[in-house]
C-alpha cells in the first residue's frame, strides 16, 4: 500500500470519527475509540473487520479530498 492509501485512510477515519461521535452523542449511544475507526474493532478476531474499515476509510477519504480540491479550484481571487 502506498502513502496515498494511508492519507485516504486517515482522512476518512477522521471524517467517520467526527460524524460518529456527533451522531452517537445525539443518539445517546456508546462511542467508539478513534483507533477503532482507523484500524477496525479491537475485540474482533475477524480480519475482514479491519480490512473493511480501512477500505471504507479510503473511499470516504478520497471523496472528501476530491470535494475539497473541487471547491479550492473554484475560489477566485
Amino acid at each position: 500500500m502506498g502513502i496515498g492509501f494511508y492519507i485516504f485512510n486517515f482522512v476518512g477515519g477522521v471524517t467517520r470519527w467526527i460524524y460518529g461521535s456527533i451522531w452517537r452523542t445525539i443518539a445517546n449511544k456508546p462511542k467508539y475509540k478513534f483507533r477503532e475507526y482507523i484500524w477496525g474493532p479491537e475485540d474482533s478476531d475477524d480480519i475482514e473487520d479491519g480490512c473493511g474499515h480501512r477500505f471504507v476509510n479510503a473511499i470516504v477519504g478520497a471523496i472528501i479530498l476530491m470535494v475539497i480540491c473541487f471547491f479550492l479550484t473554484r475560489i477566485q481571487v
Side-chain angles (χ1 to χ4, degrees):
M1 288 185 267
I3 188 80
F5 180 81
Y6 289 108
I7 293 171
F8 292 151
N9 184 30
F10 183 76
V11 171
V14 168
T15 304
R16 290 181 60 225
W17 176 71
I18 291 170
Y19 176 77
S21 296
I22 292 170
W23 174 249
R24 290 187 171 275
T25 300
I26 292 170
N28 199 19
K29 294 184 177 185
K31 296 178 187 147
Y32 294 114
K33 297 176 184 172
F34 178 72
R35 68 175 164 259
E36 288 182 304
Y37 277 101
I38 299 290
W39 303 112
E42 293 177 344
D43 57 358
S44 176
D45 292 330
D46 194 11
I47 194 160
E48 283 84 17
D49 268 345
C51 291
H53 278 264
R54 289 189 297 274
F55 180 72
V56 170
N57 288 345
I59 298 297
V60 170
I63 291 169
I64 294 296
L65 289 177
M66 283 191 286
V67 168
I68 289 172
C69 288
F70 175 76
F71 283 115
L72 286 177
T73 59
R74 299 295 178 218
I75 295 176
Q76 296 184 6
V77 181

